[in-house]
Amino acid sequence: MSNLLLIVIAFLILLSFFVIRNKRRKNKLRKKILADGPSNYGEVAENIALSISKSKALYKELIIKVHPDKFSEDKKEMANELASKITKSKRNFEELAKLKIEVDAFLS
């Protein structure tokens, strides 16, 4: 009976250690994200979620629209710049949404 009690207590101590460590890791990540830029963690979290789910499709759409081979020499340089920006922001939905506006303006 006492061996079982010791095992349960050791398990609880070990479990609490991992829970506390995980919480500290999340807080550290949150502070790092907030130190880099925006002060609203909700906006950052939303951008991360959208980046995971929607950035790939938006990236493909934009990169196809501004592929430099589609344009004449006078617009090719601007298309190269836009393609470069799009590639840099490949996994950032918020930046890709801003670039979509630039692409639409370029194409019109």
Side-chain angles (χ1 to χ4, degrees):
M1 181 73 171
S2 70
N3 286 342
L4 181 62
L5 184 62
L6 287 175
I7 291 172
V8 169
I9 291 172
F11 177 75
L12 290 174
I13 290 171
L14 193 60
L15 181 65
S16 64
F17 169 75
F18 284 115
V19 168
I20 291 170
R21 190 177 93 186
N22 191 27
K23 188 173 182 177
R24 284 182 184 161
R25 190 178 296 164
K26 284 181 183 177
N27 285 338
K28 195 176 192 181
L29 177 62
R30 182 178 182 184
K31 286 178 184 177
K32 182 179 178 184
I33 290 171
L34 292 176
D36 290 343
S39 59
N40 187 350
Y41 187 72
E43 290 175 7
V44 173
E46 182 180 356
N47 185 38
I48 290 171
L50 288 173
S51 295
I52 291 169
S53 64
K54 297 185 179 182
S55 64
K56 186 175 182 179
L58 184 56
Y59 167 77
K60 282 184 176 182
E61 174 190 335
L62 294 176
I63 205 70
I64 288 170
K65 284 183 178 181
V66 298
H67 196 279
D69 292 342
K70 293 173 114 178
F71 298 98
S72 61
E73 290 299 319
D74 57 332
K75 286 191 165 188
K76 200 173 221 173
E77 185 177 331
M78 182 63 176
N80 272 330
E81 288 179 26
L82 283 171
S84 174
K85 288 179 184 179
I86 291 168
T87 302
K88 273 185 182 177
S89 303
K90 185 176 186 175
R91 302 203 193 300
N92 187 338
F93 183 79
E94 189 176 298
E95 289 298 317
L96 287 174
K98 291 176 186 175
L99 286 169
K100 183 174 175 36
I101 297 168
E102 279 188 54
V103 168
D104 291 340
F106 170 69
L107 294 175
S108 60

